[in-house]
Amino acid sequence: MMRALALLLALSASSVCATEAPAALPVAAGEDVIGLLGSVLLMALLLAAGLWFVRRLRFAQLSSRSDVEVLAQIPLGMKEKLLVVQVGEQSLLVGCTPASMQTLHSWPTAENPPAVTGRDFSSLLKGRMAGDREEAR
């Protein structure tokens, strides 16, 4: 008898729960979209800040190498270029391609090098090459 009464009580409790209205959502639909957009905006800002930090860190590491400096460059094609690089007391003419870099010419750096910013690459290269030819004679 007790078992039947407990079973009847359990069935009536489950039928009462089934007839109740469903619980309302605690967040309105518009607020959920605003939260989603806020989260996306926050992630975009964090990504931009991280990229900025990595870029600043890379420039800080590159600036510590003061003995290597690119004085001038000229593009020869889509992916090829010539560089005048100063390494310590030596200047190098370097040809760069996507597959390799080759030293084409080298010369000792003058104690007072000419200002590269006021001259274009071709006149600088002609002057250096003419100076080397005169020394060879």
Side-chain angles (χ1 to χ4, degrees), residues 29-123:
E31 292 176 5
D32 190 34
V33 171
I34 292 171
L36 176 68
L37 291 176
S39 298
V40 169
L41 181 63
L42 178 66
M43 293 305 293
L45 289 174
L46 286 174
L47 179 66
L51 290 174
W52 176 82
F53 179 73
V54 167
R55 183 177 293 159
R56 295 284 293 180
L57 183 66
R58 188 172 5 143
F59 284 138
Q61 290 174 350
L62 291 177
S63 66
S64 66
R65 297 183 182 176
S66 61
D67 57 338
V68 177
E69 183 179 359
V70 177
L71 298 177
Q73 63 179 331
I74 185 169
L76 299 176
M78 293 296 289
K79 297 181 180 181
E80 298 84 14
K81 59 184 169 183
L82 286 176
L83 301 171
V84 176
V85 180
Q86 181 176 350
V87 180
E89 298 295 323
Q90 190 76 16
S91 293
L92 306 169
L93 177 64
V94 180
C96 297
T97 65
S100 68
M101 294 177 68
Q102 290 184 335
T103 303
L104 302 175
H105 187 68
S106 65
W107 63 92
T109 303
E111 291 185 19
N112 295 324
V116 177
T117 56
R119 300 170 62 184
D120 63 335
F121 184 84
S122 62
S123 65

Side-chain angles (χ1 to χ4, degrees), residues 118-135:
R119 300 170 62 184
D120 63 335
F121 184 84
S122 62
S123 65
L124 176 68
L125 183 60
K126 287 177 186 176
R128 292 290 185 174
M129 295 299 287
D132 288 339
R133 286 187 192 136
E134 291 174 6
E135 291 175 7

